[in-house]
Amino acid sequence: MFRMLPVMLLAIVLTGCASAPLINKESTKDTVLLVGLNLQGSTPSQLGHYYLLNLVDAAENDVQVIVRPRRTDRYMVVTELPPGDYQMVSWAARTAPGVSGFADVSLRAREVDIRFSLEEGAAHKLSQQFNVEHSQDRYGRRIMQASFGPLQDNVAGRMDRRMDQIGPDWVVINEPVGVVPEKEETPARRGGLMQFLFGS
């Protein structure tokens, strides 16, 4: 019997990992957006940061979403956006209260341009994932680097598995949403030092 105990415990753990809680529509703004999360490096037991996602809706109102990823997360779930069109314009990192040992993180918002639409009663996944890397600087302090980038297949697979368990009340949109407009390159102009310092 005692030989069977480890097998039973493993089965319980796998069962717990295999199922995810249903998302109740009443606790949302009638949309679900999964944002992929890719953690790399020496991830501490507490990530040490939370993130502000700054968006603009179709009426040009500012909308802010706060996400607090955990060490075990493979994606972030956003449920506070009503149906409509959005443009994510920037994000910023903030140090979580009570967490120490990190080098200072800039409070400056980093610009990003991701445009997407959310349908009523639907669950979507974003075409861009959030990449967070933890490492140490030359002084031994923990530092964090983060950025948005294209959704990778392994991260998309984790999100698909979550979408399969989201609940019967939701319409699952399999095609990722989110367009990143190409930046127009400005031709470089040659000029002297005075033009560089003071412009034309």
Side-chain angles (χ1 to χ4, degrees), residues 4-153:
M4 293 295 294
L5 188 58
V7 176
M8 292 170 58
L9 289 176
L10 179 61
I12 292 171
V13 170
L14 291 177
T15 302
C17 294
S19 61
L22 302 181
I23 296 180
N24 187 350
K25 268 194 173 184
E26 283 69 30
S27 64
T28 73
K29 292 287 182 69
D30 212 14
T31 68
V32 172
L33 176 66
L34 296 187
V35 181
L37 181 63
N38 185 31
L39 300 176
Q40 296 179 345
S42 55
T43 306
S45 58
Q46 289 182 293
L47 291 183
H49 301 94
Y50 63 96
Y51 302 93
L52 311 178
L53 308 181
N54 300 307
L55 303 100
V56 176
D57 65 14
E60 298 188 357
N61 296 314
D62 293 332
V63 181
Q64 190 174 77
V65 174
I66 299 175
V67 288
R68 293 180 170 85
R70 301 167 300 176
R71 181 173 56 92
T72 55
D73 285 347
R74 305 297 179 92
Y75 44 78
M76 300 177 290
V77 181
V78 177
T79 59
E80 51 263 61
L81 295 176
D85 300 326
Y86 293 92
Q87 178 184 7
M88 188 185 302
V89 295
S90 66
W91 65 271
R94 297 289 184 268
T95 303
V99 174
S100 60
F102 280 88
D104 291 338
V105 175
S106 171
L107 300 181
R108 176 180 60 86
R110 279 99 163 165
E111 291 186 2
V112 68
D113 189 355
I114 306 173
R115 304 173 190 191
F116 59 93
S117 299
L118 300 179
E119 297 180 19
E120 182 178 354
H124 306 267
K125 57 187 177 187
L126 193 64
S127 66
Q128 304 294 304
Q129 69 184 35
F130 197 50
N131 303 302
V132 180
E133 182 177 359
H134 287 90
S135 58
Q136 288 187 335
D137 64 12
R138 59 179 181 170
Y139 303 108
R141 298 176 301 182
R142 291 181 293 177
I143 58 175
M144 178 276 300
Q145 294 177 314
S147 63
F148 275 94
L151 184 61
Q152 299 171 350
D153 289 342

